[in-house]
């Protein structure tokens, strides 16, 4: 889950690397480092913490090198210490690595027996030593000689002090993309670091090695044969990835939620049958019409989206739907066949556990779709079809606008399937499609209460335990709210099906535990009010989220946030941005680094 970056070309490498690493910090920030070649020597600078700290450390250093590598680390092997920070050097070689080398201990022993001395206890340093040992004056040959010894996963950047005009890279199961500029080339874990310089790139595939220089890029396979690659063109505007005056990316992206949903619906949601036009490699109509079941795979917030997606597909389209955690499903024996649709939900398209679940399902014969914000991601490229979000870049670790956009896509899928399977009267589907089309405006209205939410967070930020209750379609929103509070404020929060609270969780309830109750008016409203009274009777302060104008709820709760009216199934498109905003302000009150919560990363590319 770390981020790597490399540059070679006509510019000074350091500023390019530092700005690029800032765009990768969402992938991890336990430590950060850069390596350049200055006057025939490797020059490496690294620090614990963020890129800003490294920038301060580099002030006054006059490093003009036009080749370099950089790394922002999420620790997998070895504590987040300075010794374990990347780049790692051995002899004339310096590398940055994202991934896990499974056989590093045996390689380490072999190299120690040959006199190599290691400065860190990471698996990555072994790679530098292997390449240095194989070096005979040709960096590409040394890399090609060393890679077959590695078992595990890697995205690598490699420089050599004896070859200051070339940058090597290699990929095995961890994302790596090469940016193609004019008299310059870039490598990075995703496209954001070089988007300001070029929108042309190659996505490396497993077993590929890149030789980058100011004169161009050559891609080889592990046998050293040239691999022809098609240039991909990045479609989004890199300016969108800037903060735009907001203090944190997360706040900006919460307020981008209406536009993210609008862009996701644009050109696809139709007012009449078949209700959805999937421009790109969308779901195959015959399969949607005849498939026996759907399995939705996801992790974290995407798993919560899958729980809501199940209700959409079953209630709107009558499609039997199972929901699975990627990390669990991959160890099961999937009961699937060609008539089963398995959808990997992943805004990044790189979550290792979701990818593993998708691959397990494909191996058992299922049809695989990727529901993602990253059309060039591993998930998208491996799937039979893609259900795209058009949410724009999401930098903050906490997923917000992409979570809500996932719900919009799942609702469109349910409408489309319902039409094809003749499950609902067309008039009802038309009504639902029309309501979905109003969601962006409804989200804007829901978010217009930021002052109220901020004041609420101020009143409730002193607690260290929170419970969030919801029934039916609101239960996954309760889970989502609890996840955001945990990951941003570092305090305990538990999402619970409201009906389940009396089965044990209520034992935690007293005046020290505020309870958020998701109670928009609908089928489960009355029962949810009963649960509200149960926890209130035991001293809990109640923060309710309900439908605008609900005087009953206002009378029962200590505090109330109101939502615009939407059909109950669509309510999560409005309540989710509100709970995201509440979790954001809670974290702010605790002075957390909202965009970089500790121990986390935006894209969990390790299993
Ligand atoms: C959500 O706020 C977290 N950042 C995390 O749970 C995230 O949803 C999860 O890692 C899945 O990410 P994906 O959608 O990119 O697969």
């Amino acid at each position: 889950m770390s981020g790597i970056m490399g540059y070679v070309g006509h510019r000074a490498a350091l500023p390019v690397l530092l700005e690029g690493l800032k765009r990768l910090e969402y992938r991890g920030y336990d430590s950060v480092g850069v390596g350049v070649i200055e006057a025939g020597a490797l020059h490496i600078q690294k620090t614990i913490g963020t890129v800003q700290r490294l920038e301060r450390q580099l002030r006054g250093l006059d490093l003009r090198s036009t080749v370099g590598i950089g790394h922002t680390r999420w620790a997998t092997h070895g504590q987040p210490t300075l010794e374990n920070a990347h780049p790692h050097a051995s002899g004339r070689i310096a590398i940055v690595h994202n991934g896990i080398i499974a056989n590093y201990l045996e390689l380490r022993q072999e190299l120690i027996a040959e006199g190599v001395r290691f400065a860190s206890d990471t698996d990555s340093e072994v790679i530098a030593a292997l390449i240095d040992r194989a070096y005979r004056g040709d960096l590409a040959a040394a890399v090609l000689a060393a890679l077959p010894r590695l078992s595990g996963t890697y995205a690598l950047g490699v420089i050599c002090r004896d070859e200051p005009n070339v940058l090597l890279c290699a990929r095995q199961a961890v994302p790596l993309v090469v940016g193609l500029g004019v008299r310059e080339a870039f490598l990075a874990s995703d496209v954001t670091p070089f988007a300001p310089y070029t929108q042309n790139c190659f996505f490396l595939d497993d077993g590929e090695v890149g030789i980058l220089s100011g004169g161009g890029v050559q891609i080889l396979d592990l046998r050293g044969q040239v691999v022809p690659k098609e240039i991909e063109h990045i479609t989004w505007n890199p300016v969108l990835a800037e903060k735009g005056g907001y203090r944190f990316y997360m706040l900006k992206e919460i307020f981008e939620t209406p536009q993210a949903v609008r862009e996701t619906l644009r050109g696809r949601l139709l007012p009449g049958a078949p209700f959805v036009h999937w421009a790109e490699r969308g779901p195959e109509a015959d399969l949607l019409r005849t498939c026996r079941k759907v399995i939705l795979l996801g992790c974290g917030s995407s798993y919560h989206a899958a729980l809501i997606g199940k209700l959409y597909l079953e209630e709107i389209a009558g499609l039997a739907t199972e929901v699975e955690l990627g990390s669990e499903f991959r160890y099961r024996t999937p009961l699937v066949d060609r008539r089963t649709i398995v959808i990997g939900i992943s805004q990044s398209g790189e979550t290792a556990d979701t990818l593993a679940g998708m691959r397990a399902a494909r191996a058992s014969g299922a049809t695989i779709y990727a529901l993602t914000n990253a059309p060039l991601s591993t998930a998208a490229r491996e799937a039979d079809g893609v259900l795209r979000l058009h949410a724009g870049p999401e930098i903050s670790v906490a997923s917000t606008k992409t979570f809500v956009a996932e719900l919009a896509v799942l609702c469109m899928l349910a409408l489309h399937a319902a039409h094809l399977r003749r499950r609902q009267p067309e008039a009802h589907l038309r009504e639902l499609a029309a309501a979905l089309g109003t969601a962006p405006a409804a989200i804007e209205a829901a978010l217009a209460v930021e002052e109220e939410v901020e004041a609420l967070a101020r009143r409730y930020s002193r607690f260290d335990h929170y419970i969030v209750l919801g029934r039916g379609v609101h239960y996954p929103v309760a889970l989502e709210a609890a996840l955001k509070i945990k990951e941003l404020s570092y305090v305990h929060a538990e999402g619970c099906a409201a009906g389940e609270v009396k089965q044990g969780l209520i034992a935690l309830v007293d005046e020290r535990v505020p309870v958020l109750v998701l109670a928009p008016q609908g089928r489960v409203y009355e029962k949810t009010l009963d649960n509200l009274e149960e926890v209130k009777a035991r001293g809990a302060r109640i923060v309710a989220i309900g439908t605008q104008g609900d005087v009953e709820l206002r009378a029962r709760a200590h505090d109330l946030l109101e939502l615009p009216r939407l059909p109950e199934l669509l309510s999560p498109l409005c309540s989710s941005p509100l709970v995201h905003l509440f979790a954001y302000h809670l974290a702010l009150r605790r002075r957390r680094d909202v965009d970089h919560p500790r121990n986390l990363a935006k894209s969990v590319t390790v299993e």
Side-chain angles (χ1 to χ4, degrees), residues 299-302 345-348 351 397-399 406 483-484 487 604:
C299 299
S301 291
S302 289
I345 303 176
S346 173
Q347 66 81 21
S348 64
T351 298
V397 165
S399 55
E406 286 173 350
L483 172 63
K484 289 293 187 287
E487 70 173 325
V604 184

Side-chain angles (χ1 to χ4, degrees), residues 469 498 501 506 509 515 517 519 525-542 544 551-558:
L469 301 181
V501 71
I506 199 164
V509 173
V515 178
V517 180
Y525 174 72
E526 298 300 336
K527 284 291 179 202
T528 306
L529 290 189
D530 294 344
N531 303 132
L532 182 156
E533 294 302 339
E534 285 158 11
V535 292
K536 186 175 163 185
R538 284 150 180 91
R541 287 192 63 77
I542 306 296
V551 291
E552 176 71 25
L553 189 58
R554 181 172 291 282
R556 293 174 183 239
H558 296 95

Side-chain angles (χ1 to χ4, degrees), residues 292-495:
R292 285 186 318 104
K293 76 175 170 181
V294 173
I295 298 177
L296 301 176
L297 292 179
C299 299
S301 291
S302 289
Y303 172 72
H304 302 154
L307 291 170
I308 295 173
K310 168 185 170 72
L311 296 172
Y312 289 167
L313 289 169
E314 290 187 343
E315 310 235 339
I316 300 170
L319 246 176
T321 303
E322 296 170 11
V323 176
E324 296 279 0
L325 283 168
S327 55
E328 288 296 311
F329 180 77
R330 54 173 305 183
Y331 297 111
R332 303 257 295 285
T333 308
L335 299 179
V336 299
D337 59 24
R338 201 67 200 150
R339 307 312 300 164
T340 309
I341 296 177
V342 175
I343 302 177
I345 303 176
S346 173
Q347 66 81 21
S348 64
E350 299 298 350
T351 298
D353 288 327
T354 305
L355 292 175
M358 293 168 71
R359 290 165 184 154
R362 169 191 290 287
S364 302
T367 299
I368 309 297
Y369 293 140
L371 193 160
T372 183
N373 198 38
L376 300 174
S377 63
T378 304
R381 290 187 292 130
E382 292 186 0
D384 300 307
V386 180
L387 307 175
R388 272 203 63 181
L389 312 181
H390 293 280
E394 185 177 74
I395 306 299
S396 186
V397 165
S399 55
T400 51
K401 63 178 182 175
T402 55
F403 172 75
V404 184
E406 286 173 350
L407 303 185
V409 171
L410 287 163
C411 189
M412 284 197 286
L413 180 66
L415 283 165
H416 190 206
H419 163 69
L420 293 170
R421 303 168 74 91
R422 305 203 178 291
R423 172 71 186 181
Q424 298 263 6
E426 294 294 320
H428 178 62
L429 295 180
R430 198 171 291 116
E431 265 172 48
L432 202 50
L436 180 58
T438 69
I443 299 167
E444 271 159 3
L447 290 173
V449 295
E450 187 181 11
E451 289 71 29
E452 262 183 80
V453 174
E454 194 173 0
L456 209 55
R458 194 176 309 120
R459 287 202 295 280
Y460 284 89
S461 59
R462 61 188 165 84
F463 296 98
D464 289 327
H465 299 277
Y466 299 83
I467 288 175
V468 191
L469 301 181
R471 274 182 187 262
V473 76
H474 314 297
Y475 165 44
V477 181
L479 297 176
E480 174 64 8
L483 172 63
K484 289 293 187 287
I485 293 170
K486 279 181 281 204
E487 70 173 325
L488 295 168
S489 288
Y490 318 156
V491 293
H492 171 250
E494 187 151 347

